[in-house]
Amino acid sequence: MLQNIGIPGLILLLVLALIIFGPSKLPEVGRAFGTTLKEFKKATRELVSGDDTPAKPEEKTTLHTVDQHNKKTGS
C-alpha cells in the first residue's frame, strides 16, 4: 500500500500533517504512532511465536496426567 509513495508523496504527507496538527503537536502524534506500531508488532510476534513455544510446566503435567488416565481407562 505505502510502497509506491516515493519522496514527493512523503513530503506532501509531512506538509499536510504539519498543517493539520501544527508544529507543537506533530512530535506527540509521531511518538504515539511509533508506540502503537511497536505494540502492534509485539502482539503480532507473540501470536506467531505462540504456536512454537513449549507448554508451561503445569500444562505438561496436566497433559501427562490426562494421557496416563486415558491409558488406564482405555479411552
Side-chain angles (χ1 to χ4, degrees), residues 33-49:
F33 180 73
T35 304
T36 304
L37 188 59
K38 184 173 71 171
E39 289 177 8
F40 178 75
K41 284 183 178 182
K42 180 183 173 188
T44 304
R45 203 174 308 122
E46 287 175 358
L47 284 174
V48 171
S49 67

Side-chain angles (χ1 to χ4, degrees), residues 4 12-14 16-17 21-23 26 30 34-35 41 47 51-52 55 59-60 66 72-74:
N4 297 329
L12 180 64
L13 285 174
L14 286 173
L16 286 174
F21 296 111
L26 202 54
T35 304
K41 284 183 178 182
L47 284 174
D51 298 335
D52 299 337
E59 291 176 359
K60 286 182 181 178
V66 170
K72 287 180 186 176
T73 61

